[in-house]
Amino acid sequence: MSKIPTYKTIFRLAIPAIFGGIVEPILSLTDIAVVGNIPSNNPNLTITSLAAVGLAGSLISALLWIFAQVKSAISALVSKAVGANNINSVATLIPQMILFNLGLGILAFLLTYFSSSWIFTSLLSASNAVAEQAVAYYDIRAFGFPITLITFSLFGVFRGLQNTYWAMIISIVGGCLNILLDFILVLGLGDFCEPMGIEGAAIASLIAQIVMFLLAIFFLLRSKVKLLFSNRINQQFKVMVHMAVHLMVRTITLNIALVLTHKFANKYGEIEAATHTVLLNIWLFSAFFLDGFATAANALSGKYLGQQNPTALKETLKKNMLLAFLVALLLIVIFLLFHVEIIGVLAEDSRVTHLYKDVLFLFILCLPLNALAFTLDGVFKGLGEAKFLRNLLVISTLFGFLPVLFIADYFSVGLQVIWLALIVWIFLRGLIPLIYFKTYLKRKFD
């Protein structure tokens, strides 16, 4: 076994993670593309539907990101057990983690299902027309919270086992099924299925989530971990929950920032809201693409921490960061060459395709900054440094994102305000952990 990560090892983890990771944003982009192209004689109705799907989809993503942080916690613990050659230590932890996520999913459902109308109208400042359609979409998707959280947590188990292939297979199957059902249920299929519009998009996603859950359970039963059910709480359960809580606070902060971008976009107008929806989903698509190397860094960092190997940790960061930057540059080239076609696929409205050009440069500038921030996120998640990651997000948001957003909005209005704040936010999220990494190694191993 190599004592330091090779590029082959990184690619073995990152490539499946990339293909698996981009499925979620592809689903959102597909919903947007299909809904944004529903035949209608009223362009404003299409814009309303597009804004509604984007808004509801962002809320769903926010909630899943918040409550799915057990995935990163269990991944760190399993990968550390693999590195220490003590995989049996998590045999009872995994079933207990599944039950914990089931409870979290039910909680997320109860907290939002009965208040979704208030969330969209009062909290997110959506117009009545947008809010009505957003509620119709969200109230169907919300039923999938419990099984989706369990699925994501099992992805964390697979990652800890140094296996990102299974998660890729599950995601691709679910993604392809979702896309197929989107076209059938949203647009209709002759006499077989009447067009269901925005509600059809939600049903398609829910069915795909159920299939992904069943596949995740199937692969878990085939894993090398011998699962044990015990009434005695695993000694690492408390550690897992503490890590997850820190990461939940971090993710709540992260999503407050993203929700604020939608709130300000809604304030600027429906065209601005629709344009921001399209751009932010493309940005998230690229982010998940880059996150493949963060996943590799996550899995390897936990393993090398278990092996007490600081040299390998340094190489893990250096090599994953280099690869992430190269991918970011490739994405920039692709978007510069085909941005007109990409935007056109997602929204036919000429007002959207005209407005996005005002923030094109700021959008592109985010990509290399994402590469830096996400790779370091992956490393520190693998090291189990959840408290540091929590503090990082709070500091970057309070002293970077929010001041820029409100000050720039005071002097000007428009999507440039939002994307300038996002750039400062991502920059701090990359710079601070880069500086701290050397301090961490000295404190841990000297």
Side-chain angles (χ1 to χ4, degrees):
M1 180 184 294
S2 175
K3 294 185 181 296
I4 62 172
T6 63
Y7 284 110
K8 181 179 179 180
T9 301
I10 293 172
F11 280 122
R12 180 177 59 82
L13 292 167
I15 297 302
I18 288 172
F19 282 103
I22 63 175
V23 170
E24 179 62 28
I26 283 177
L27 300 185
S28 296
L29 289 171
T30 301
D31 282 352
I32 289 171
V34 175
V35 171
N37 289 279
I38 293 175
S40 175
N41 295 324
N42 184 354
N44 290 327
L45 180 61
T46 301
I47 287 295
T48 299
S49 299
L50 185 61
V53 170
L55 192 62
S58 296
L59 177 60
I60 291 166
S61 295
L63 289 168
L64 288 176
W65 286 352
I66 291 168
F67 287 99
Q69 292 310 308
V70 175
K71 177 179 78 171
S72 295
I74 193 68
S75 174
L77 294 173
V78 172
S79 60
K80 186 176 179 181
V82 169
N85 197 26
N86 188 25
I87 193 63
N88 289 333
S89 64
V90 297
T92 60
L93 179 63
I94 294 173
Q96 291 167 9
M97 176 271 299
I98 292 174
L99 291 176
F100 182 70
N101 274 277
L102 177 63
L104 284 179
I106 294 172
L107 177 63
F109 173 82
L110 294 175
L111 287 175
T112 59
Y113 180 81
F114 298 102
S115 60
S116 57
S117 180
W118 174 84
I119 291 172
F120 290 120
T121 55
S122 300
L123 192 61
L124 299 180
S125 304
S127 66
N128 289 334
V130 170
E132 182 179 356
Q133 294 203 50
V135 168
Y137 179 85
Y138 179 85
D139 284 355
I140 295 172
R141 287 285 307 271
F143 281 95
F145 280 144
I147 58 173
T148 301
L149 288 181
I150 293 173
T151 302
F152 284 174
S153 66
L154 292 179
F155 285 2
V157 172
F158 302 154
R159 181 189 303 175
L161 294 172
Q162 312 297 297
N163 182 338
T164 55
Y165 179 76
W166 287 346
M168 178 192 73
I169 295 298
I170 295 167
S171 297
I172 290 177
V173 170
C176 291
L177 178 62
N178 196 339
I179 291 171
L180 176 64
L181 292 175
D182 256 344
F183 284 97
I184 294 174
L185 299 179
V186 176
L187 303 178
L189 187 63
D191 296 331
F192 175 75
C193 179
E194 292 292 327
M196 300 176 66
I198 196 170
E199 293 180 348
I203 293 172
S205 295
L206 180 60
I207 293 173
Q209 288 170 332
I210 294 171
V211 171
M212 291 172 67
F213 166 74
L214 295 175
L215 286 173
I217 295 295
F218 170 77
F219 282 119
L220 175 65
L221 296 176
R222 293 190 60 191
S223 73
K224 63 182 179 181
V225 180
K226 184 179 180 181
L227 302 178
L228 297 176
F229 296 87
S230 173
N231 292 328
R232 179 177 295 179
I233 300 298
N234 187 288
Q235 62 182 358
Q236 296 187 81
F237 184 84
K238 186 176 180 180
V239 176
M240 180 191 74
V241 173
H242 280 176
M243 290 174 60
V245 169
H246 286 311
L247 292 172
M248 283 180 187
V249 174
R250 170 188 180 271
T251 310
I252 288 171
T253 306
L254 185 152
N255 282 285
I256 287 173
L258 292 181
V259 167
L260 278 174
T261 68
H262 281 289
K263 186 176 179 69
F264 273 70
N266 281 320
K267 184 178 75 170
Y268 298 145
E270 282 198 2
I271 302 301
E272 284 79 2
T275 305
H276 181 64
T277 292
V278 172
L279 281 174
L280 192 62
N281 275 277
I282 296 174
W283 182 73
L284 290 172
F285 174 84
S286 66
F288 277 93
F289 200 95
L290 293 168
D291 202 44
F293 294 102
T295 297
N298 182 318
L300 292 171
S301 295
K303 184 178 77 170
Y304 292 130
L305 177 63
Q307 294 177 357
Q308 294 292 295
N309 190 340
T311 301
L313 285 173
K314 293 178 185 178
E315 286 295 310
T316 295
L317 175 59
K318 183 175 72 174
K319 290 180 177 178
N320 278 284
M321 191 178 296
L322 173 62
L323 293 170
F325 272 122
L326 292 175
V327 171
L329 291 176
L330 177 62
L331 291 172
I332 289 172
V333 171
I334 291 173
F335 196 76
L336 285 176
L337 291 175
F338 303 107
H339 61 90
V340 175
E341 292 80 4
I342 293 171
I343 299 295
V345 168
L346 298 175
E348 288 187 336
D349 193 286
S350 60
R351 294 169 293 179
V352 172
T353 56
H354 174 75
L355 184 60
Y356 86 91
K357 296 177 182 178
D358 293 342
V359 292
L360 180 60
F361 173 75
L362 296 176
F363 171 85
I364 288 174
L365 188 57
C366 277
L367 298 181
L369 297 177
N370 282 350
L372 175 65
F374 293 175
T375 304
L376 284 157
D377 267 358
V379 167
F380 280 102
K381 283 181 180 178
L383 297 174
E385 290 293 308
K387 185 176 180 180
F388 167 74
L389 290 172
R390 179 203 67 187
N391 294 339
L392 171 64
L393 245 295
V394 171
I395 291 170
S396 300
T397 303
L398 289 180
F399 300 103
F401 176 80
L402 290 178
V404 173
L405 182 66
F406 285 102
I407 292 172
D409 177 70
Y410 178 80
F411 289 103
S412 180
V413 295
L415 294 183
Q416 297 94 329
V417 168
I418 296 172
W419 285 89
L420 181 61
L422 285 172
I423 286 175
V424 174
W425 187 53
I426 295 295
F427 175 74
L428 291 176
R429 287 176 56 192
L431 178 64
I432 295 173
L434 184 62
I435 295 172
Y436 177 70
F437 183 70
K438 292 182 179 179
T439 303
Y440 171 85
L441 291 180
K442 289 181 180 180
R443 175 171 58 85
K444 196 74 176 178
F445 297 103
D446 284 355

